[in-house]
Amino acid sequence: MKFSKLEYIIALSLIDGIGPILSKKLISYFKNVEEIFNLRNNFEKVPGISKNLGNKIRNNIANNKIWEKTEKIINFCEKNNIKIITFEDKNYPYRLKNCDDSPLVLFAQTSEKFDFNSGFFIGIVGTRNPTIYGKNFCNLLIKEIYESKIPITIVSGFAYGIDITAHKKAIEYNLPTITVLPVGFDNIYPSLHKKYVKDIIKNGGIVSEFCLGVEIEKGIFIRRNRIIAGLCDGIIVIESKIDGGAMSTANFAFNYNREVFALPGKTIDTYSEGPNYLIKTQKAQLIESFQDICNAFGWKKNKTLDNLPLTPSIEDLSDKEKEIINIIKQHTKIDIDSLALLLDTPVYKLSPLLLELEFKGIIKQLPGNIFQLTIKI
């Protein structure tokens, strides 16, 4: 039976025993996802796949249940207005795509205008049992983000404590916020927070690598945390035990070469153990206010297109900015991944430079994270 490319990709993501990394290896080895589903394949030739795993893959492919589940997922998404974003789609979050273990498929409910590849993404995570100190800092930080007028999306995990505090404050200030679920859309977790779903989707959205039928178990939260880290330019840890879930998010972010920030606290406070450790081991920068984030990324607060000069001076630009402009000029239009490759610069470091050029009215961003010049040079 012939299936669509989308069906093959979803089915591949459902095969028991292989994760995102092996899935991408299979696609690379067999050149296209459809060819993977040929039962005559010698999967054992693919690096990382043993004889037992190869047999397991063949058994999964031969089982009609994988296609039944694929059809069920597609029908559920169509019925509930859930977007299916595959690793090969242009609107797949480019930050996440740069992570080796990024999901093959993302499921998302978002507002019509929301773009995963526009502006900046900051993750705010922490303990489920925050102190007044932690909550107050979270609320003040988001107020400062709102007042800065910098296009920032707040990302968190919908959990009790710091996560939901960040989401609620973002909603209050009408800021876009993204919730990363540990489970599917048929089992919103925690159920007590379902009442915030509509407000979150109004300007942002809900994301998961799962769609249906996923049970709550410990490992599922770790998988969720890597997506939070992968979606973001930077992660802020506000209070956590040394072995708290927020620490795994920080470690993922650190390993993905993202900026990590931690709120310091008293050495005798249980929920400051995690942040203090991150600072002490130089995995995180100490954060006292939003200004520390601005300093790390080179952002300038209260800077919008409306209050900039109409005829920016090219001579005032840095050498890196001039290099960016020259490459865009040569290509007329270019996507951020190609630009990063040509500049030999990580995307997370390139993004603030592009935003600065956009603020100056020299370039503009098009759908699909493509950039072009707005002035003649």
Side-chain angles (χ1 to χ4, degrees):
M1 186 181 292
K2 187 78 173 177
F3 296 96
S4 68
K5 187 174 183 180
L6 176 62
E7 289 172 312
Y8 279 118
I9 292 177
I10 293 175
L12 177 60
S13 73
L14 297 174
I15 293 178
D16 189 28
I18 63 172
I21 295 176
L22 273 181
S23 295
K24 292 167 195 171
K25 280 187 179 180
L26 285 167
I27 293 174
S28 177
Y29 185 87
F30 291 104
K31 305 306 179 185
N32 65 73
V33 68
E34 181 179 347
E35 184 58 32
I36 296 171
F37 289 82
N38 185 336
L39 287 172
R40 295 189 297 273
N41 285 331
N42 187 353
F43 294 109
E44 292 78 6
K45 286 186 176 181
V46 180
I49 296 183
S50 63
K51 184 177 180 180
N52 287 338
L53 183 53
N55 288 331
K56 197 172 187 179
I57 294 172
R58 275 184 283 271
N59 291 336
N60 270 265
I61 290 173
N63 193 333
N64 285 331
K65 286 185 178 179
I66 198 170
W67 299 110
E68 291 172 4
K69 190 170 183 180
T70 296
E71 183 180 4
K72 187 176 180 181
I73 285 173
I74 291 174
N75 290 337
F76 181 85
C77 289
E78 289 177 350
K79 183 178 179 180
N80 293 278
N81 196 30
I82 297 171
K83 301 170 185 176
I84 304 174
I85 309 172
T86 74
F87 187 77
E88 297 180 348
D89 293 339
K90 285 187 176 181
N91 58 336
Y92 190 98
Y94 72 83
R95 299 170 183 84
L96 188 59
K97 191 173 184 177
N98 288 332
C99 306
D100 290 341
D101 56 353
S102 57
L104 204 61
V105 182
L106 276 180
F107 300 94
Q109 275 185 320
T110 67
S111 65
E112 290 184 12
K113 295 182 179 180
F114 187 80
D115 184 354
F116 284 102
N117 296 315
S118 179
F120 295 99
F121 284 61
I122 294 294
I124 299 177
V125 296
T127 178
R128 296 179 178 219
N129 302 289
T131 65
I132 294 175
Y133 167 64
K135 278 188 174 181
N136 286 346
F137 180 82
C138 183
N139 290 332
L140 179 60
L141 179 67
I142 292 177
K143 180 176 182 288
E144 290 180 317
I145 289 174
Y146 165 75
E147 291 173 345
S148 76
K149 301 188 185 301
I150 296 172
I152 294 173
T153 294
I154 305 299
V155 183
S156 199
F158 214 41
Y160 297 104
I162 291 298
D163 287 24
I164 198 63
T165 298
H167 287 308
K168 287 166 65 177
K169 205 64 180 179
I171 291 169
E172 180 183 333
Y173 284 107
N174 213 30
L175 291 172
T177 183
I178 285 291
T179 284
V180 184
L181 295 176
V183 289
F185 289 78
D186 60 334
N187 183 27
I188 300 293
Y189 178 87
S191 58
L192 186 64
H193 293 165
K194 283 184 180 179
K195 57 189 175 185
Y196 301 113
V197 166
K198 287 185 178 179
D199 288 331
I200 287 172
I201 293 175
K202 183 180 177 182
N203 287 316
I206 297 177
V207 179
S208 179
E209 66 178 312
F210 306 112
C211 182
L212 296 167
V214 178
E215 299 295 329
I216 295 293
E217 57 183 24
K218 188 175 182 180
I220 220 77
F221 295 101
I222 300 296
R223 295 185 64 164
R224 184 270 312 274
N225 293 347
R226 90 185 194 284
I227 296 177
I228 294 174
L231 284 172
C232 294
D233 298 290
I235 292 290
I236 303 164
V237 180
I238 300 177
E239 296 189 318
S240 173
K241 290 183 177 180
I242 196 72
D243 59 351
M247 295 294 285
S248 70
T249 309
N251 284 322
F252 279 122
F254 180 80
N255 291 329
Y256 292 155
N257 293 316
R258 309 299 162 85
E259 296 288 348
V260 182
F261 304 87
L263 177 68
K266 295 178 182 178
T267 56
I268 59 173
D269 289 348
T270 300
Y271 292 108
S272 291
E273 287 178 355
N276 287 347
Y277 176 81
L278 290 171
I279 295 168
K280 185 170 69 173
T281 56
Q282 299 182 0
K283 284 190 172 182
Q285 301 180 48
L286 183 151
I287 184 173
E288 295 177 312
S289 70
F290 180 59
Q291 186 61 53
D292 294 312
I293 302 175
C294 293
N295 293 342
F297 287 107
W299 296 343
K300 295 180 181 179
K301 294 188 288 185
N302 301 312
K303 202 167 190 181
T304 65
L305 291 172
D306 295 331
N307 57 25
L308 289 167
L310 295 177
T311 54
S313 173
I314 304 301
E315 299 304 319
D316 294 335
L317 301 178
S318 67
D319 290 340
K320 196 69 173 180
E321 288 175 322
K322 291 177 183 177
E323 191 178 357
I324 291 170
I325 291 171
N326 286 333
I327 291 177
I328 296 176
K329 182 181 178 181
Q330 291 170 20
H331 292 77
T332 307
K333 296 178 183 179
I334 188 169
D335 64 271
I336 193 168
D337 288 327
S338 300
L339 188 56
L341 187 64
L342 291 170
L343 289 165
D344 192 25
T345 302
V347 170
Y348 78 95
K349 288 187 176 180
L350 179 59
S351 294
L353 295 173
L354 292 170
L355 183 63
E356 185 70 16
L357 288 172
E358 191 171 1
F359 280 153
K360 292 174 180 176
I362 297 173
I363 66 171
K364 71 175 180 179
Q365 183 177 355
L366 305 174
N369 221 30
I370 294 170
F371 293 86
Q372 71 174 28
L373 296 177
T374 58
I375 61 175
K376 189 174 181 179
I377 297 175

